[in-house]
Amino acid sequence: MGVAIVSLATHTVLIPFPVKAKLEGIYTPFVDSVHETVHPNFFRPLDESLFPTSPVILEANDARASGERLLSRRRSSIAGEPEIGGNRYELQATYDACLQVGQFSRARALAHRLGELYPPNSPALVAIFNQYLRRVTSDLTLGQRTDGVESVEGWIENDMKKAGVRADPMTYALTIKAALHRLSGSRRDRTVRRYWNMVKELELESEVAGLHNILTDYDLGTISEICPMELDTEDLDEYLPEASGEDRAEEIRETQGSQQPNTESADLHIREIDQKGEGMKALKKTLSMFSSMKDTLEDTLSSTDTNTVEGAEQRQKERQIRLERDALDSSIERWRKDHETLQRLHTASDRQIKSLGTYLFRWQQILAQRLKEEIALCEAADTEQEPNYGTTDRREYGPFLRLVNPDQLAALTILTVFQRFSRSGSTHPMRLSHVVTSVSRAVEAEAFAEILSNNLRQKYGPRAKDHMVTKSINRLAKIGLLSRNKVNVDKIRKLWRNQDHYLTSKIQSWPVTIHAKVGAALCSHLLEAAKITIYKEDPKTGKHLSNVEPVFQRMVRYEHGKRRAYIAIHPIMVEKLAVEPPSGLIAKQVPMVVQPRPWTSFEDGGYLTSAAGFLRIKNGEVSQKKYAEAAMERGDLQGYFDGLNVLGETGWRINSDVFQVMREAWNTGDAVANIAPENPQIELPPRPANSDMMMYRRWSREVVRLENARAGLHSERCFQNFQLEIAKTFLNETFYLPHNIDFRGRAYPIPPYFHQMCADHVRGLLLFAEGRKLGETGLRWLKIHLANVYGYDKASLTEREAFADDHLDDIKDSTDNPLGGKRWWLEAEDPWQCLATSFELRKAIESPDPTKFVSHIPVHQDGSCNGLQHYAALGGDIEGAQQVNLEPSDRPSDVYTGVAELVKAQIEQDLEKGDKNAKLLHGKISRKIVKTTVMTNVYGVTFLGAMRQVRKRLDELHPELGPTSIILSAYVARKIFHALGTLFSGAHGIQYWLGDCANRINTSLTPEQLDHISQSFEFDFDNRKDVKKPSAKIAASLKNVAFRCSVTWTTPLKLPVVQPYRDSKIRKIKTKLQTMHISTPTLLDNVNKRKQLQGFPPNFIHSLDATHMMLSAVKCKQMGMTFSAVHDSFWTHAADVDRMNQALRSEFIRMHSEDVVGRLAAEFKARFGNNLYQATIPRGTDLASKILKCRGDLALARGLRQGDPQFKLYEAIVEHKRQKLLRSSDPKQREEGSAMVTPASIFEADGQGDNSLSITNSLGETAIGHIPQVTSKETLKTALLNAQESAENVDLGQSILPGTDDQLESLNSSLLRDLKHTLNDATSSATNAMKEREAQKKQKQEKQKEKTGSSSLSLWLPLHFANVPKRGDWDVSRLRSSEYFFS
């Protein structure tokens, strides 16, 4: 067995697998006792094997394969073409854009330049050259080019040969296509015959003729006439039989037959917020496209029978495409109407303009004209013989501006900028670089949508590829182009998969340099175009004065000693945005009215014409996408595709009962459940009468806090207003939510505003579109669900069922008179979901036969602190398994209550000792106080983060504690961490092992790095006599000694995960607007070791819970269930809860029956085993003395000194050479390696292994149950000053070390005094604060350096990993009997 090493150039190399036994035991499918009913329309059974047979490993040793290699700018070899430079991503993006806009000459030059970055004839290079050929052939076929087939033949026989690219079936098919359509007579026949004979010689007839979307039936018939062959009359059966349309129609009618009655929109008025002015009018106009377009399509498709499934699907599909495609045009049209209305009223003065749309239309017209002129200048720059900076810049961004129509480009720029200000708070300036990037990303998405909307693939249904494969095979046999034994279905399918890449290919994702230049060009024109006339009255003369002022103002701020460019918006427009937020592009950000495109590749899925991407790339991590693409090529991502397709196929409808109550509550303007009040009763305290500065500052802070609270409620109500309008729009619709995944594999809905992961009021509005009869158990689960959403979820299932029975009167009152009755439902933990369940439960109970009642409400099954469940399963931790309901029991365990009880017990013990903190907290600790900290501790929360969380809860529940809550929060946080360490000892060990692995990986060098350094080092020393000072060559090599290995692993469902935490370099980019400094993540960046270390354990657990969700989704689909999820909360119909529970338990057992941690260790060994890492040992030992003596000998032999800068590098090179010799297949070389004496060989001979290392606590305070020992006053003051930060976020900040009880006691009085002074100095200058932080940082670094230098010795060792912690005795199969695992 071997490991597939997939390089960046996509070539494959096999190397011996170092842990063969570990990965050969592929999972044996678990035999599920559940009776499975396979859904008749299920697309494909999931591959039963979990974990890949070998991990995907990207190799970056080939300089040609490195996308980071920057080509210097030089004159093109093609006459008249500009200088071309940049890295592979920049060249590829420009190449694609040039092809799209028809700049073929420049595209040709770029193709040859790209050839310098790929191995000859690599698949990627072949694809690049075929991409050019496809576009040229398309233009020739459509008559859009005046040159003939010579351009195609010249491309194949000259350009491709020069670049070392051999023609493939796609190349020949395109060439023959061009000859058939552009030539005639004998010349056509000779050309076709010539290339078809080449195809025959290579035995590629079936592959070429199988490209149905290039060579049509007519084309193949013509080829048969020109090149006669023996006919084969054997017919083939259909490869994929199609389902009957009538059968599918009947199925849909059955599942949707019990939908809610149609609700007339005239009765659905939603009261607008008074402050909104005409803002919601714009929103309603945008959303009205959904209903108006329905009427338009009825007329357009009048000839189509919409009573059939095919007709209904076609109507909805056309509607969705138009909604996505026409969003920008609809915005422009809406602005134009506002402008025309103003003109009809003869209102020309800006002071009388009330609608924001009038301004936007005016600016859009000006900006569109400026962009047309700019594009003309870009075209002129392409022919400039003596380029300057301006023309060079335009050559770089010009092709990208031409991808979108100037009118739409102008509207898109305006909408993006104003939406960005509206979301972030228009009163605050924004970083100019952020605005520029937002604009360019919006343009990139629109360009892709434009290409995709014109794509031929849109003519076909979701299973088009399979049908086209079938059609290709059948027609090839029938027309006689295939001999009897040449039909190879797998080969044809693979060919279609490759062609599908071309059909759905978009412009290459734009790199940051392109984003900066395109965004800056657009923003610079917007800043010039957007102006407003300001009218003022002269206070002395009373005359009315007017002045034209720019809407946007640029400014400079200093942050951390650096200049930062900001952009602010004019106060007049701030007021406009406050009452009328922009509402364009909504159609691309709301649910779909048709099922999403199934995910079949990295970019192919989701919205019909809009780009979202299968994987959300964090921080621009390049390697994450490359690993995912390599895994996709191997077919490893099919499980994720299937899981996302299950989530996307789930249809939803709006709960009209809940909507009517919510609309009524909304229109009152009062706070109801989580609905924000329209006019919150927040009274500001009176201004202090005396001149006491301390009182004034307290008053000022309180006023700011209250104003922020008022603004927050207003913002929340605005957003809820938006969500209610969306719900109203979809009230009588079935809609769908496309999903994609983040880098860990967790699924998220793509529409950002309305989905199942939103707050309680949105979840309460959601129903499954497809209903299911309750059956024998559904009514019971409806009652249990009611208890769960009410908050009575820690009792037994029987008690929860009884809870609903005991509150039937309350349920009846809540549904009869939700807002005027007892309002029992408002006391629930999730009020709107409680109300929705009450409506459903009452209807079921009052129905003639509850077992036949068709229910649509989603019933949830939630995990018990799911992260700890995975840790307990990984470690076989019996105590932990009991706490998180993995172990069967009569009643559910609640880990939060368990921790709270342990904290109470510790406080009782301290109280007996007279502890003042314990006295203040006696009787005040509850489950709510500890819950957030327990939940986030498993995901890496720091002690400072835990302090903030606890303090927030203490202030909420016990405000009488006042300022002492900061002291008490540290005290309680320590108790919580101690309790967690007690309960989850097994998880504690695994978390530390994960952190130690990350620590070693992040301080290692790859063999490729060491080879490169070794070559430079040897060359330098062989050619220099003076070796006391490093030469420029050595100095450059020293810079390459950088730790670039990111922690990378593969999930059980075969997704490679690459942690995206790097210290990205700042690249200086000159743009039309200004010189910008933008972070440009590359594979050459050093990893951020702190974030890599602390992020790995929680990210690893997230990848496991994501795998479990995906497996459960596919399993439920196979069993015929409707499924949705919110991470570790799984949803289905009440009738199917028992079956879903068995399915998700079987999938959890399936995953954890394997040695997950052992496989991870084996993968790390395979992936990083040839690296060298920097270890440390204590000084003053015999081992340290031997190593120092060895170093002296090495230095003397080379003429170096141990203190020389290059010696440390030289030691790594020597050890690398020894390891290569030891791995050699030549016995003599292995013997030579064994004879070498290096610090690492001495360490190995010592025989103590890891016991000799200075093992540091790599995770710091982020580990489960970690209780640091030292604190400072500054720590606690920092916690107070930063208390406004979200306590829910995982804090990866600097290490915080809380103190002992005695230290905290001694700090009580002095801290409060210091706190008073700290608050007095809160308004001190940013400069002083910056200097203080820099001084503290420097002091810390010096102390660390001094400590390291005096107590430890570093050395290079072959990368190995500590032994996996011994697993406990708990058997995961016991989970099958646990009633409360998910409940």
Side-chain angles (χ1 to χ4, degrees):
M1 180 178 290
V3 180
I5 309 297
V6 184
S7 79
L8 299 185
T10 69
H11 70 278
T12 301
V13 183
L14 292 180
I15 62 173
F17 201 96
V19 281
K20 181 176 181 181
K22 278 284 187 182
L23 292 183
E24 278 188 340
I26 299 306
Y27 173 78
T28 302
F30 178 76
V31 180
D32 191 359
S33 60
V34 181
H35 175 68
E36 297 184 5
T37 303
V38 180
H39 194 277
N41 288 337
F42 183 62
F43 37 84
R44 189 189 62 82
L46 180 68
D47 181 8
E48 290 297 330
S49 64
L50 294 182
F51 302 93
T53 56
S54 59
V56 177
I57 303 177
L58 297 186
E59 188 179 62
N61 59 320
D62 188 350
R64 296 170 64 92
S66 174
E68 317 305 338
R69 179 186 171 198
L70 192 66
L71 290 183
S72 59
R73 196 177 297 278
R74 64 163 172 76
R75 178 69 62 180
S76 168
S77 59
I78 299 176
E81 282 307 305
E83 296 177 336
I84 298 174
N87 63 29
R88 188 181 72 191
Y89 309 118
E90 295 167 5
L91 295 177
Q92 180 77 57
T94 307
Y95 174 70
D96 289 340
C98 287
L99 287 179
Q100 291 297 326
V101 300
Q103 289 184 264
F104 292 105
S105 179
R106 188 173 180 198
R108 179 185 171 198
L110 285 165
H112 284 281
R113 198 75 163 119
L114 282 164
E116 302 177 25
L117 294 172
Y118 290 92
N121 206 47
S122 64
L125 191 58
V126 174
I128 288 171
F129 276 78
N130 277 344
Q131 190 178 354
Y132 177 95
L133 189 60
R134 186 182 185 91
R135 184 53 193 259
V136 171
T137 302
S138 176
D139 282 4
L140 284 173
T141 303
L142 297 174
Q144 296 177 355
R145 288 178 65 99
T146 57
D147 53 349
V149 181
E150 294 84 358
S151 60
V152 174
E153 294 185 278
W155 182 254
I156 295 175
E157 300 184 12
N158 296 325
D159 293 83
M160 292 182 70
K161 286 183 178 179
K162 180 180 178 181
V165 178
R166 290 192 297 271
D168 67 351
M170 178 78 69
T171 311
Y172 289 117
L174 291 169
T175 307
I176 293 171
K177 177 81 169 183
L180 288 172
H181 287 264
R182 294 298 293 173
L183 300 178
S184 61
S186 60
R187 187 181 176 194
R188 181 200 67 176
D189 295 350
R190 287 196 307 271
T191 305
V192 170
R193 192 176 295 111
R194 177 188 175 200
Y195 285 103
W196 188 256
N197 287 337
M198 293 181 185
V199 171
K200 289 179 62 179
E201 290 175 4
L202 297 172
E203 297 184 349
L204 296 175
E205 299 101 304
S206 61
E207 286 86 344
V208 173
L211 292 170
H212 174 253
N213 226 35
I214 296 177
L215 296 175
T216 65
D217 289 341
Y218 179 81
D219 293 334
L220 289 180
T222 306
I223 294 173
S224 298
E225 294 175 0
I226 298 172
C227 308
M229 11 181 104
E230 180 185 354
L231 295 181
D232 182 0
T233 58
E234 178 184 10
D235 292 334
L236 298 177
D237 295 333
E238 287 293 326
Y239 185 68
L240 289 172
E242 298 187 38
S244 163
E246 282 300 316
D247 293 340
R248 294 162 64 197
E250 181 63 26
E251 179 188 347
I252 290 180
R253 283 194 291 270
E254 287 177 357
T255 59
Q256 297 187 348
S258 58
Q259 293 299 327
Q260 304 170 81
N262 186 48
T263 307
E264 294 297 330
S265 59
D267 299 329
L268 302 179
H269 170 67
I270 296 175
R271 177 179 174 179
E272 300 169 5
I273 305 175
D274 290 341
Q275 294 92 328
K276 283 265 180 194
E278 301 183 14
M280 293 311 298
K281 290 182 181 179
L283 174 61
K284 291 176 181 177
K285 288 179 182 178
T286 301
L287 291 175
S288 66
M289 290 194 303
F290 285 83
S291 56
S292 63
M293 197 167 290
K294 185 188 297 185
D295 298 333
T296 303
L297 284 172
E298 291 290 350
D299 298 334
T300 304
L301 301 175
S302 58
S303 59
T304 303
D305 184 4
T306 56
N307 292 322
T308 66
V309 171
E310 288 80 1
E313 289 180 350
Q314 180 64 22
R315 181 187 64 184
Q316 290 295 83
K317 183 174 181 180
E318 290 292 335
R319 186 173 167 218
Q320 180 67 37
I321 291 174
R322 289 187 59 184
L323 287 169
E324 296 177 21
R325 183 188 61 202
D326 297 343
L328 278 176
D329 292 335
S330 298
S331 296
I332 298 172
E333 183 61 26
R334 186 171 62 252
W335 301 343
R336 177 182 286 108
K337 288 181 179 179
D338 288 342
H339 179 74
E340 291 173 351
T341 300
L342 195 68
Q343 295 297 316
R344 285 197 299 269
L345 296 174
H346 304 289
T347 303
S349 173
D350 277 22
R351 76 179 77 186
Q352 295 174 289
I353 297 177
K354 296 182 179 180
S355 171
L356 178 63
T358 303
Y359 286 113
L360 298 182
F361 179 72
R362 180 187 299 175
W363 300 333
Q364 187 268 340
Q365 294 293 295
I366 298 173
L367 181 56
Q369 183 59 39
R370 292 181 65 95
L371 291 178
K372 291 175 184 176
E373 296 170 359
E374 176 66 30
I375 290 173
L377 291 174
C378 292
E379 293 173 350
D382 289 335
T383 59
E384 188 72 35
Q385 296 300 318
E386 297 295 332
N388 52 40
Y389 170 72
T391 56
T392 301
D393 208 33
R394 284 193 169 99
R395 284 172 174 173
E396 292 182 357
Y397 66 72
F400 300 91
L401 293 185
R402 296 170 59 187
L403 289 169
V404 181
N405 178 279
D407 289 328
Q408 292 183 330
L409 194 59
L412 184 61
T413 303
I414 293 170
L415 278 171
T416 303
V417 172
F418 276 96
Q419 283 186 338
R420 184 70 193 254
F421 270 103
S422 182
R423 287 197 306 267
S424 303
S426 54
T427 58
H428 304 292
M430 293 186 60
R431 283 277 296 273
L432 183 58
S433 59
H434 294 171
V435 177
V436 165
T437 304
S438 295
V439 169
S440 60
R441 291 193 184 282
V443 175
E444 180 185 24
E446 186 65 24
F448 173 48
E450 184 70 20
I451 296 170
L452 194 58
S453 66
N454 296 326
N455 200 295
L456 293 176
R457 191 176 184 274
Q458 295 304 310
K459 297 180 180 179
Y460 302 96
R463 302 182 68 182
K465 216 180 332 183
D466 288 333
H467 290 297
M468 283 192 260
V469 172
T470 304
K471 187 174 181 180
S472 296
I473 295 172
N474 285 321
R475 82 181 172 125
L476 289 177
K478 291 176 181 178
I479 65 175
L481 288 179
L482 296 177
S483 60
R484 184 177 300 272
N485 297 318
K486 282 190 177 180
V487 177
N488 186 323
V489 173
D490 291 334
K491 185 180 291 187
I492 296 292
R493 178 175 294 280
K494 181 178 180 181
L495 192 65
W496 264 101
R497 183 168 64 246
N498 292 337
Q499 183 184 0
D500 186 62
H501 168 75
Y502 291 97
L503 290 174
T504 59
S505 65
K506 67 176 183 69
I507 308 168
Q508 177 76 17
S509 296
W510 299 356
V512 291
T513 50
I514 300 300
H515 277 298
K517 290 181 180 293
V518 172
L522 293 171
C523 287
S524 65
H525 284 292
L526 176 61
L527 296 185
E528 294 293 329
K531 298 185 184 298
I532 188 172
T533 304
I534 305 299
Y535 295 89
K536 296 181 180 179
E537 183 177 318
D538 191 319
K540 295 182 179 180
T541 64
K543 292 183 178 180
H544 292 283
L545 306 176
S546 63
N547 185 42
V548 177
E549 297 182 6
V551 174
F552 301 100
Q553 180 183 3
R554 293 171 59 185
M555 60 181 63
V556 174
R557 288 182 175 181
Y558 287 88
E559 296 178 354
H560 307 294
K562 296 180 180 179
R563 287 166 52 95
R564 303 291 189 193
Y566 278 79
I567 182 173
I569 197 167
H570 197 286
I572 297 295
M573 297 313 300
V574 170
E575 298 175 4
K576 289 286 183 184
L577 284 176
V579 300
E580 189 176 351
S583 57
L585 302 179
I586 290 175
K588 296 184 179 181
Q589 299 170 338
V590 296
M592 302 177 65
V593 296
V594 68
Q595 283 193 359
R597 285 186 300 139
W599 288 104
T600 57
S601 67
F602 204 85
E603 299 287 354
D604 188 8
Y607 283 105
L608 300 186
T609 64
S610 301
F614 162 72
L615 184 66
R616 302 183 182 201
I617 305 296
K618 186 177 177 65
N619 298 340
E621 176 63 41
V622 176
S623 54
Q624 174 66 71
K625 183 175 180 179
K626 294 190 173 300
Y627 268 102
E629 288 175 337
M632 184 190 69
E633 290 298 321
R634 298 199 331 179
D636 286 349
L637 298 187
Q638 191 60 49
Y640 286 93
F641 291 160
D642 291 348
L644 291 181
N645 292 340
V646 170
L647 296 174
E649 289 173 2
T650 298
W652 300 92
R653 291 185 75 87
I654 299 297
N655 189 325
S656 62
D657 294 326
V658 175
F659 178 81
Q660 292 292 355
V661 178
M662 196 176 297
R663 180 187 61 84
E664 183 180 349
W666 176 268
N667 289 340
T668 66
D670 299 332
V672 180
N674 68 326
I675 299 295
E678 184 175 6
N679 295 303
Q681 300 302 311
I682 298 178
E683 297 184 3
L684 300 181
R687 188 186 183 98
N690 56 40
S691 58
D692 188 331
M693 185 58 68
M694 174 61 69
M695 292 184 63
Y696 176 79
R697 287 179 174 172
R698 289 177 180 171
W699 171 82
S700 178
R701 286 194 299 272
E702 182 65 11
V703 169
V704 170
R705 186 185 69 81
L706 293 175
E707 290 289 359
N708 286 340
R710 189 198 305 275
L713 288 172
H714 174 74
S715 175
E716 187 176 357
R717 187 168 176 88
C718 290
F719 188 69
Q720 290 172 342
N721 198 172
F722 187 18
Q723 291 174 318
L724 278 176
E725 287 294 340
I726 294 175
K728 177 182 173 181
T729 302
F730 285 97
L731 191 57
N732 299 307
E733 297 273 0
T734 295
F735 58 92
Y736 303 87
L737 300 170
H739 288 64
N740 58 8
I741 62 172
D742 69 2
F743 73 101
R744 302 162 299 188
R746 295 194 113 192
Y748 293 89
I750 298 174
Y753 303 118
F754 199 88
H755 50 74
Q756 80 275 19
M757 294 187 185
C758 286
D760 172 56
H761 66 287
V762 175
R763 295 189 188 190
L765 289 169
L766 291 176
L767 293 175
F768 287 135
E770 177 184 347
R772 189 67 57 90
K773 294 178 181 178
L774 286 178
E776 298 299 325
T777 62
L779 184 62
R780 174 175 180 262
W781 277 111
L782 264 185
K783 295 177 179 179
I784 293 171
H785 181 60
L786 177 74
N788 287 342
V789 295
Y790 191 85
Y792 189 70
D793 55 346
K794 302 302 173 242
S796 67
L797 296 180
T798 302
E799 291 169 337
R800 295 183 219 179
E801 183 181 3
F803 173 87
D805 291 331
D806 294 341
H807 288 85
L808 289 178
D809 290 340
D810 293 323
I811 293 170
K812 186 176 186 300
D813 177 76
S814 296
T815 53
D816 283 340
N817 195 2
L819 299 177
K822 294 187 294 184
R823 294 160 66 106
W824 168 81
W825 63 279
L826 286 175
E827 300 172 9
E829 188 173 296
D830 298 311
W832 292 110
Q833 294 177 75
C834 179
L835 181 62
T837 310
S838 297
F839 276 117
E840 193 87 347
L841 183 57
R842 181 178 179 181
K843 292 177 184 177
I845 292 174
E846 294 179 353
S847 66
D849 184 356
T851 63
K852 295 182 180 179
F853 175 77
V854 178
S855 175
H856 292 261
I857 199 163
V859 175
H860 312 168
Q861 294 289 279
D862 299 344
S864 302
C865 199
N866 192 239
L868 287 173
Q869 287 181 325
H870 284 286
Y871 266 125
L874 291 173
D877 191 342
I878 296 177
E879 292 79 7
Q882 293 171 343
Q883 288 297 320
V884 291
N885 294 305
L886 296 182
E887 182 70 10
S889 63
D890 296 332
R891 297 185 60 82
S893 297
D894 179 28
V895 64
Y896 309 117
T897 301
V899 171
E901 292 301 318
L902 281 176
V903 172
K904 289 179 184 178
Q906 296 177 67
I907 290 176
E908 290 292 337
Q909 294 176 359
D910 291 347
L911 186 62
E912 294 176 359
K913 300 175 184 178
D915 188 283
K916 293 182 179 179
N917 293 324
K919 184 176 181 180
L920 289 171
L921 289 168
H922 181 64
K924 292 182 172 64
I925 298 300
S926 65
R927 178 182 184 273
K928 190 171 184 179
I929 289 176
V930 307
K931 180 177 179 179
T932 305
T933 303
V934 173
M935 187 185 305
T936 56
N937 183 266
V938 70
Y939 295 124
V941 69
T942 61
F943 188 80
L944 176 56
M947 283 177 58
R948 293 171 182 164
Q949 293 167 346
V950 173
R951 183 168 185 260
K952 180 180 178 181
R953 297 305 180 197
L954 287 175
D955 289 343
E956 289 175 356
L957 301 175
H958 305 289
E960 70 277 6
L961 293 175
T964 59
S965 63
I966 183 174
I967 303 295
L968 300 177
S969 65
Y971 174 82
V972 174
R974 292 183 67 252
K975 301 300 183 186
I976 294 173
F977 276 38
H978 184 276
L980 283 170
T982 302
L983 290 174
F984 295 95
S985 57
H988 186 274
I990 290 176
Q991 197 177 36
Y992 268 100
W993 181 82
L994 293 173
D996 181 65
C997 290
N999 186 37
R1000 300 186 188 205
I1001 292 169
N1002 296 147
T1003 55
S1004 68
L1005 298 178
T1006 66
E1008 293 78 23
Q1009 279 182 282
L1010 290 165
D1011 283 339
H1012 177 73
I1013 296 170
S1014 179
Q1015 293 171 5
S1016 302
F1017 198 97
E1018 294 296 334
F1019 175 82
D1020 186 85
F1021 272 79
D1022 289 343
N1023 291 274
R1024 294 182 67 252
K1025 297 179 180 179
D1026 181 15
V1027 294
K1028 294 183 180 180
K1029 290 178 62 179
S1031 67
K1033 193 76 173 180
I1034 287 290
S1037 297
L1038 285 171
K1039 293 182 179 179
N1040 288 328
V1041 186
F1043 299 124
R1044 297 171 183 156
C1045 287
S1046 183
V1047 180
T1048 304
W1049 71 97
T1050 307
T1051 71
L1053 206 51
K1054 307 177 185 179
L1055 172 71
V1057 180
V1058 183
Q1059 291 203 136
Y1061 313 122
R1062 294 182 181 273
D1063 293 327
S1064 301
K1065 296 178 181 178
I1066 303 298
R1067 187 169 175 183
K1068 186 176 180 181
I1069 302 173
K1070 290 185 178 181
T1071 70
K1072 184 178 179 64
L1073 194 61
Q1074 68 174 45
T1075 298
M1076 304 182 71
H1077 296 79
I1078 296 181
S1079 174
T1080 56
T1082 72
L1083 295 175
L1084 302 182
D1085 294 333
N1086 291 358
V1087 295
N1088 185 313
K1089 290 191 286 186
R1090 176 179 57 81
K1091 289 186 176 181
Q1092 289 276 347
L1093 295 178
Q1094 297 182 354
F1096 176 43
N1099 286 336
F1100 179 69
I1101 295 300
H1102 277 311
S1103 71
L1104 293 182
D1105 70 43
T1107 297
H1108 180 228
M1109 192 279 288
M1110 291 291 181
L1111 290 172
S1112 300
V1114 175
K1115 187 75 168 181
C1116 288
K1117 179 69 174 182
Q1118 287 177 327
M1119 297 169 67
M1121 288 182 272
T1122 300
F1123 181 88
S1124 186
V1126 180
H1127 300 318
D1128 61 349
S1129 176
F1130 299 163
W1131 301 8
T1132 193
H1133 289 97
D1136 293 329
V1137 172
D1138 285 324
R1139 291 201 301 151
M1140 184 182 74
N1141 274 330
Q1142 295 180 52
L1144 62 92
R1145 282 161 174 77
S1146 71
E1147 294 309 305
F1148 192 92
I1149 294 170
R1150 175 187 176 189
M1151 181 169 66
H1152 283 287
S1153 293
E1154 290 287 333
D1155 183 5
V1156 178
V1157 180
R1159 285 183 174 276
L1160 178 66
E1163 179 182 349
F1164 279 169
K1165 186 173 182 180
R1167 191 180 295 281
F1168 304 109
N1170 292 334
N1171 290 14
L1172 296 182
Y1173 84 106
Q1174 198 171 50
T1176 58
I1177 61 172
R1179 287 181 180 268
T1181 62
D1182 291 341
L1183 176 61
S1185 300
K1186 294 177 182 177
I1187 288 176
L1188 288 173
K1189 182 179 183 304
C1190 174
R1191 282 182 173 170
D1193 296 338
L1194 286 174
L1196 183 63
R1198 194 65 178 181
L1200 298 171
R1201 294 178 300 183
Q1202 291 190 45
D1204 289 341
Q1206 65 268 42
F1207 180 74
K1208 184 176 181 181
L1209 183 67
Y1210 177 66
E1211 183 180 322
I1213 293 172
V1214 172
E1215 181 57 34
H1216 177 55
K1217 179 180 179 181
R1218 185 175 80 95
Q1219 293 300 318
K1220 290 176 69 175
L1221 291 172
L1222 292 175
R1223 291 192 296 266
S1224 173
S1225 59
D1226 186 344
K1228 292 184 178 179
Q1229 290 186 348
R1230 291 199 300 271
E1231 184 179 352
E1232 180 184 353
S1234 300
M1236 291 180 65
V1237 179
T1238 65
S1241 69
I1242 295 173
F1243 176 88
E1244 293 168 355
D1246 186 61
Q1248 297 299 312
D1250 285 354
N1251 293 328
S1252 299
L1253 298 178
S1254 301
I1255 303 295
T1256 58
N1257 177 8
S1258 57
L1259 286 178
E1261 74 286 358
T1262 63
I1264 294 175
H1266 175 73
I1267 305 178
Q1269 300 300 320
V1270 185
T1271 192
S1272 67
K1273 302 176 186 179
E1274 294 301 321
T1275 295
L1276 301 180
K1277 286 189 285 187
T1278 301
L1280 179 66
L1281 295 175
N1282 292 285
Q1284 70 275 11
E1285 295 184 15
S1286 171
E1288 306 300 326
N1289 292 335
V1290 173
D1291 186 346
L1292 293 178
Q1294 63 180 8
S1295 297
I1296 302 300
L1297 305 176
T1300 62
D1301 293 345
D1302 293 337
Q1303 289 173 315
L1304 291 174
E1305 177 67 23
S1306 64
L1307 280 174
N1308 278 343
S1309 58
S1310 61
L1311 177 64
L1312 294 178
R1313 277 198 313 273
D1314 293 343
L1315 181 57
K1316 180 178 179 180
H1317 295 299
T1318 301
L1319 293 176
N1320 289 341
D1321 297 335
T1323 57
S1324 60
S1325 67
T1327 304
N1328 291 336
M1330 183 184 66
K1331 289 181 179 179
E1332 183 179 353
R1333 287 194 298 269
E1334 291 295 329
Q1336 291 174 351
K1337 182 178 179 181
K1338 185 176 180 180
Q1339 183 180 10
K1340 182 179 179 181
Q1341 290 174 343
E1342 290 176 352
K1343 286 184 178 180
Q1344 183 65 30
K1345 183 177 180 181
E1346 180 182 354
K1347 179 180 177 181
T1348 303
S1350 61
S1351 62
S1352 62
L1353 184 71
S1354 64
L1355 72 159
W1356 294 101
L1357 294 179
L1359 181 53
H1360 66 284
F1361 299 96
N1363 293 330
V1364 174
K1366 185 178 179 181
R1367 198 175 186 277
D1369 296 328
W1370 184 75
D1371 182 3
V1372 71
S1373 64
R1374 290 180 57 80
L1375 167 65
R1376 187 181 304 281
S1377 303
S1378 175
E1379 195 173 20
Y1380 299 102
F1381 167 52
F1382 272 64
S1383 65

